[in-house]
Amino acid sequence: MKRFSILLSLLVFVMAARGAEPKLSQEQKMAWWNDAKFGMFVHWGPYCLYGGEYHGYKQNRGGAEWIMNRCKIPVMEYRAMTSTFNPVNFDAEKLVTMAKNAGMKYLVFTTKHHDGFAMFKSDHTNYNIVDYTPFKRDILDEIVNACRKHGMKFGFYYSQSQDWNHPGGSTGRKEMKEGWSNPDSAAIDQFTKEHKGAWDLYQTTETFDEYFHKISLPQIKELVTRYPDVSVMWFDTPGGITDGDATEIMDFLADYPQIITNDRLKRPNFPGDYKTPEGRVPKAEDTEGIYWETCMNIGSSWGFKTWEQNWKPSTEILRNLMTICARGGNYLLNVGPDPLGEIPSTPTQCLKEVGDWMAKYGEAIYDSQRSGLTPEWGECIRKDNAKNSSYYLCVFNWPADGKLRLDGKFSAKKATLLTDNSNLKFKRDKNGITIEVPKDTPETVATLIRLDLNGKLPPVKLISNSEKVFKILDADK
C-alpha cells in the first residue's frame, strides 16, 4: 500500500503540473491518509507573542491562539505586536524531522488562523510573515520543502471565515469574561452583541462578501496553485460563510482531485471527506463506516502558552493512538511553537518517547483499520495483508490470572508476543480464544500481541459523506 501511495502522489503531482485531472476513486484518494494514522498539527502565528497573557492577566478561557478575540485587543494594537514577530530560531528541517522521528506521516500547518495573519507570502494582503515582520522569510514555503525532502505529506489549515484583522471577516463572539478583567466589560459585551462579535469598528467597515472575495477565496487559490501537491485542506469555523461561498471553493478544488477536505467548510451541505471530532476519542459506535480524524493538543492550548503545565505524557498519547486506530481513525496531535520558533522542551521529549515506541511497534499502527472488537483489557487493531488478517491486541490492563480473553467470531493460527517475538499458547472455542500470557506485563505503555488469523476478514467499507456530524467539544473550534 505504501508503494501505491508514493506512485499515486507522483502521478497527481505530475498531472497537476500539466493541468490534467486524474480520476481517483474515493478509496484511492483516501489510501495514503487511511494508512498514515498519525500526523502533526502545528498552530503558530503572532498570537504566540502574548503567550496567553494580556495586561498582566492570564487568559481566562480557551486556547492562547484566541487571545485577540477573547481579550478584545484592538486591531492596530495587535498589528503593532505582530510587527515585532521575529522567530529567529525557527528551523523547518528540525520541525519536520521531529514529526517524522515521532512516527508521524503527515503535517498540517496553520497557514492563516482566525487572527488573519498569513504565515506565507501573500499577494492579497501585506499582513503576512514576509511583508509585515522583520523575519522576512516564508515559513510555509520552508515547511513544504522540508516535507517534500523527507517524504512527509503536508496539509494546510486555513480559516476560511473568521478573520479578526481584515475588515468584513467573521468575528465569533466571546464575552469579555473569557479574556481578562476589563473594567469596561459590560459596555464591550454590549458592543459585540450589536456588531456580530466585532469589538473594533475597523472590523465592520466591509461586508463579509467583500472579505471573502478579496482575501479568503484568493488566498485559498493562491496556496493551492503555488503548492499543487498539497494533500489536505483543513478548514475551520464556518461562521459567516454561505453555501454559495463554499461552492466556489469546492469548484476550484475540483481541479485538484487528490486534495482531501475535512467537514468544517460549511455544515451540513459540505461534509468533506472525513469527520473531525476534537479533543477526545469518540465512541466506537459513532465512527462506524466513516473516515475520521481526531485533533488533540499535546498540552491544553493550540497556540503557545507561557504558563502551560498540563502536558500529556507519552503513555497517554500512545494509548490514544492505539484506541483511535482500533476504531478506524487518524490522530492529529498538535504542537505550538514559541515566539522564537521552537517547540518547548517537555513536548519535545514526549515526542521522542513516542517515536522510540513507534520504531518498535509501529507495525500495529500503520495501514491498520477498525477491528470492531472492544475488549475490556485494552484495544484491538486489525491489519490485513495479501493472504490473511491479523489482530494486534494492545493490552493496557494485564490479566492477573495469566489468561487473556478475546471474544469474537474468528479462527486464529498463531499468537506472538511482540516484546520478544515469542509464541504464546492459546485455546479456541466457538466464541473466541484464551491466550496464556506471562504472569507480569512486559511493557508499561501497552503490551502488544499479534494474533494471526486463518484467512482474511471481510473488507471494511468506508464512505465519505456520512450524515453523522460530531459535536465539537471545544468551543474555540
Side-chain angles (χ1 to χ4, degrees), residues 268 271 275 290 463-470:
K275 301 298 180 185
I290 61 173
I463 58 177
S464 63
N465 58 345
S466 170
E467 294 181 356
K468 292 181 181 178
V469 177
F470 287 102

Side-chain angles (χ1 to χ4, degrees), residues 213-279:
H213 288 98
K214 286 172 63 176
I215 301 293
S216 183
L217 182 60
Q219 282 192 333
I220 291 170
K221 291 181 177 181
E222 184 176 39
L223 285 167
V224 174
T225 54
R226 191 175 297 171
Y227 304 106
D229 53 332
V230 60
S231 295
V232 178
M233 285 300 294
W234 214 103
F235 298 111
D236 203 10
T237 60
I241 198 170
T242 67
D243 280 7
D245 297 331
T247 297
E248 288 191 62
I249 293 173
M250 292 308 297
D251 284 349
F252 166 74
L253 293 180
D255 290 334
Y256 302 86
Q258 90 285 356
I259 294 178
I260 296 168
T261 61
N262 69 345
D263 63 336
R264 301 191 186 189
L265 175 59
K266 176 67 169 70
R267 288 169 170 157
N269 296 331
F270 296 83
D273 294 300
Y274 65 98
K275 301 298 180 185
T276 54
E278 181 173 314

Side-chain angles (χ1 to χ4, degrees), residues 346-463:
T346 300
T348 295
Q349 176 59 30
C350 175
L351 289 179
K352 182 182 182 304
E353 294 169 6
V354 169
D356 290 343
W357 189 93
M358 291 289 284
K360 294 179 182 179
Y361 302 117
E363 67 171 270
I365 302 300
Y366 306 122
D367 195 16
S368 63
Q369 55 188 309
R370 83 175 60 245
S371 67
L373 303 177
T374 54
E376 294 182 355
W377 38 256
E379 298 293 342
C380 180
I381 301 170
R382 170 182 164 180
K383 191 167 182 177
D384 296 341
N385 58 41
K387 295 182 179 180
N388 71 292
S389 299
S390 297
Y391 285 140
Y392 285 84
L393 315 184
C394 308
V395 188
F396 303 160
N397 303 309
W398 199 248
D401 62 359
K403 298 183 185 299
L404 189 73
R405 178 68 187 178
L406 180 66
D407 292 326
K409 295 184 180 299
F410 55 83
S411 175
K413 62 180 179 180
K414 185 179 180 182
T416 305
L417 180 66
L418 294 191
T419 302
D420 57 8
N421 288 318
S422 60
N423 293 332
L424 299 175
K425 295 180 180 180
F426 60 89
K427 294 181 179 179
R428 306 182 188 89
D429 59 50
K430 63 180 181 179
N431 296 317
I433 66 167
T434 301
I435 305 172
E436 296 181 18
V437 297
K439 179 180 179 182
D440 298 318
T441 177
E443 304 283 351
T444 55
V445 175
T447 297
L448 269 63
I449 297 170
R450 187 182 65 242
L451 189 64
D452 297 320
L453 306 184
N454 287 307
K456 203 167 183 177
L457 295 167
V460 175
K461 294 183 179 180
L462 297 174
I463 58 177

Side-chain angles (χ1 to χ4, degrees), residues 85-275:
F85 189 32
N86 193 21
V88 293
N89 292 348
F90 174 70
D91 186 339
E93 177 82 6
K94 183 178 179 180
L95 179 68
V96 172
T97 55
M98 178 185 292
K100 184 175 182 178
N101 291 339
M104 296 162 166
K105 298 295 185 180
Y106 61 109
L107 186 150
V108 178
F109 183 73
T110 47
T111 61
K112 178 180 81 74
H113 205 264
H114 307 325
D115 66 348
F117 183 76
M119 295 290 280
F120 61 97
K121 166 67 175 174
S122 177
D123 295 333
H124 303 287
T125 175
N126 73 337
Y127 194 54
N128 66 72
I129 189 69
V130 176
D131 296 324
Y132 211 83
T133 77
F135 191 62
K136 300 300 180 188
R137 285 161 44 192
D138 190 325
I139 284 174
L140 179 63
D141 195 62
E142 294 179 13
I143 288 175
V144 167
N145 287 331
C147 284
R148 288 170 175 165
K149 175 182 175 181
H150 291 282
M152 179 84 69
K153 294 282 189 178
F154 61 91
F156 300 153
Y157 171 109
Y158 186 87
S159 176
Q160 75 277 17
S161 180
Q162 288 206 76
D163 190 320
W164 308 325
N165 265 282
H166 292 99
S170 293
T171 47
R173 184 172 183 259
K174 305 293 181 183
E175 292 188 344
M176 193 70 245
K177 64 184 179 182
E178 297 189 16
W180 65 288
S181 301
N182 191 325
D184 297 322
S185 293
I188 292 171
D189 285 344
Q190 184 61 34
F191 185 91
T192 59
K193 184 177 181 180
E194 295 171 355
H195 293 85
K196 298 180 179 179
W199 58 92
D200 187 319
L201 281 174
Y202 179 73
Q203 297 167 324
T204 69
T205 55
E206 291 187 9
T207 66
F208 179 80
D209 185 68
E210 289 174 309
Y211 162 76
F212 180 78
H213 288 98
K214 286 172 63 176
I215 301 293
S216 183
L217 182 60
Q219 282 192 333
I220 291 170
K221 291 181 177 181
E222 184 176 39
L223 285 167
V224 174
T225 54
R226 191 175 297 171
Y227 304 106
D229 53 332
V230 60
S231 295
V232 178
M233 285 300 294
W234 214 103
F235 298 111
D236 203 10
T237 60
I241 198 170
T242 67
D243 280 7
D245 297 331
T247 297
E248 288 191 62
I249 293 173
M250 292 308 297
D251 284 349
F252 166 74
L253 293 180
D255 290 334
Y256 302 86
Q258 90 285 356
I259 294 178
I260 296 168
T261 61
N262 69 345
D263 63 336
R264 301 191 186 189
L265 175 59
K266 176 67 169 70
R267 288 169 170 157
N269 296 331
F270 296 83
D273 294 300
Y274 65 98
K275 301 298 180 185

